[in-house]
Amino acid sequence: MATLREGAILDPALEAQSPGARRAYLGRRLAATVADALGIFSTYMAAYSPVIAIHVAPLGDPQRSFLTIEFLLDSAPPHPQTTELSLGVSLRVLRFLMGSDYTPLSVHLPHDPLTPKADYVRYFGCTPYFAERTAGFAVRSADLGRPLNRDDVAHRAVVDYLNGITPRNAGIVESVRTIVRQLLPTGAATLEVVADQFNLHPKTLQRRLADEETTFAALVDQVRKDAADRYLRSTGIGLSHLARELGYAEQSVLTRSCKRWFGTGPAAYRNRTRTPAMARA
């Protein structure tokens, strides 16, 4: 069974644990604020949901900022409940960072209310505004500057999460696939980084994979191919964002890879294989 190194931080919401990245992560731990955490969360959001982006923007009043929830789709989500769910998850993140009693100044939804306004006030704990141009929360700028005092809790949660996503009693091949899937959007799915997570020298990991009649490069390529097939068939994710999700620096690399995998470019493959529901969307 493949075993993760004790205390390893593999979660893409943090830095991959190469020596340089580990030093950067430790620096953040010493001087982290809520804004820092949201910045990291935003950078690696694709590892959790490749069609959602989160960023903080200033408002006209310097004491207020806006946390935007953006969907990276060719068209708006077909169901407003999708937006409300994303706002709810984002609120949970804010409360994890700032305490369970935290409430934003207001919540902004791009659609008309689905239930009485009082339900939104009760759930979000703040004033809701409907039919807005952008989904998100208005927050106090001072709250974004709060220091993080729960890094040990976050660290433990990340380790528990990684133990959960790695299949129990999984062999080295499946364990490497799992870690690569998580690291691809960060651009850190390298042999050195992955080997470090198992406390192995890169050459040792290569030998272990060779014993299973595969290579690290072949596993990364297969994970990318499977992800590209899934997203192109069943989502409307933009091609530039899909390229980032697969760990490519340029969309042209995605195009070349799709031609090698599927015999055609990503747009043509999507048109040929997308599900009927996606075609009607």
Side-chain angles (χ1 to χ4, degrees):
M1 179 181 73
T3 303
L4 296 178
R5 176 166 54 83
E6 177 64 27
I9 296 297
L10 302 175
D11 189 84
L14 301 173
E15 296 290 347
Q17 295 300 287
S18 60
R22 190 179 297 115
R23 288 192 292 272
Y25 168 60
L26 291 173
R28 288 191 179 97
R29 293 184 69 178
L30 293 173
T33 65
V34 171
D36 293 331
L38 289 174
I40 297 170
F41 184 71
S42 174
T43 300
Y44 298 117
M45 185 64 184
Y48 296 94
S49 178
V51 298
I52 299 177
I54 292 179
H55 60 89
V56 178
L59 295 174
D61 181 353
Q63 296 183 354
R64 293 157 53 94
S65 298
F66 195 81
L67 180 66
T68 300
I69 314 297
E70 180 183 4
F71 289 85
L72 305 175
L73 297 170
D74 295 335
S75 57
H79 305 293
Q81 291 90 343
T82 302
T83 300
E84 295 190 358
L85 176 61
S86 299
L87 287 166
V89 171
S90 300
L91 181 59
R92 289 177 60 188
V93 171
L94 291 172
R95 286 176 173 167
F96 177 77
L97 295 173
M98 292 188 275
S100 59
D101 59 345
Y102 174 76
T103 57
L105 295 172
S106 57
V107 59
H108 299 249
L109 303 100
H111 53 266
D112 293 329
L114 305 179
T115 64
K117 180 179 177 180
D119 291 343
Y120 290 87
V121 174
R122 184 164 47 250
Y123 181 78
F124 290 106
C126 59
T127 302
Y129 293 93
F130 302 97
E132 296 284 294
R133 293 184 59 186
T134 307
F137 297 97
V139 299
R140 301 168 188 84
S141 299
D143 287 340
L144 299 179
R146 291 190 195 182
L148 289 179
N149 298 316
R150 302 187 64 187
D151 191 72
D152 58 329
V153 177
H155 181 99
R156 186 68 257 165
V158 167
V159 172
D160 290 344
Y161 164 74
L162 289 165
N163 287 334
I165 66 171
T166 304
R168 191 174 298 276
N169 298 321
I172 189 68
V173 170
E174 187 56 38
S175 296
V176 168
R177 280 199 188 104
T178 299
I179 300 309
V180 167
R181 277 194 293 267
Q182 295 299 310
L183 289 177
L184 272 181
T186 74
T190 66
L191 174 63
E192 291 74 19
V193 169
V194 173
D196 190 46
Q197 310 316 314
F198 298 98
N199 201 25
L200 296 174
H201 190 279
K203 290 184 178 179
T204 302
L205 178 58
Q206 284 281 47
R207 286 196 297 270
R208 294 274 299 274
L209 294 175
D211 290 341
E212 301 293 331
E213 299 183 344
T214 189
T215 66
F216 182 77
L219 290 178
V220 171
D221 192 63
Q222 187 63 49
V223 169
R224 282 177 165 148
K225 178 182 178 182
D226 292 346
D229 177 68
R230 182 174 69 255
Y231 288 126
L232 291 171
R233 283 177 180 271
S234 59
T235 77
I237 183 175
L239 296 183
S240 61
H241 193 70
L242 175 57
R244 293 195 299 272
E245 168 69 9
L246 299 184
Y248 291 140
E250 298 179 0
Q251 185 177 325
S252 60
V253 184
L254 170 65
T255 299
R256 290 196 297 272
S257 294
C258 285
K259 289 180 177 178
R260 176 168 54 85
W261 295 326
F262 312 126
T264 188
Y269 185 74
R270 166 175 279 163
N271 292 335
R272 189 176 76 200
T273 62
R274 67 185 349 187
T275 63
M278 283 300 303
R280 293 193 298 267

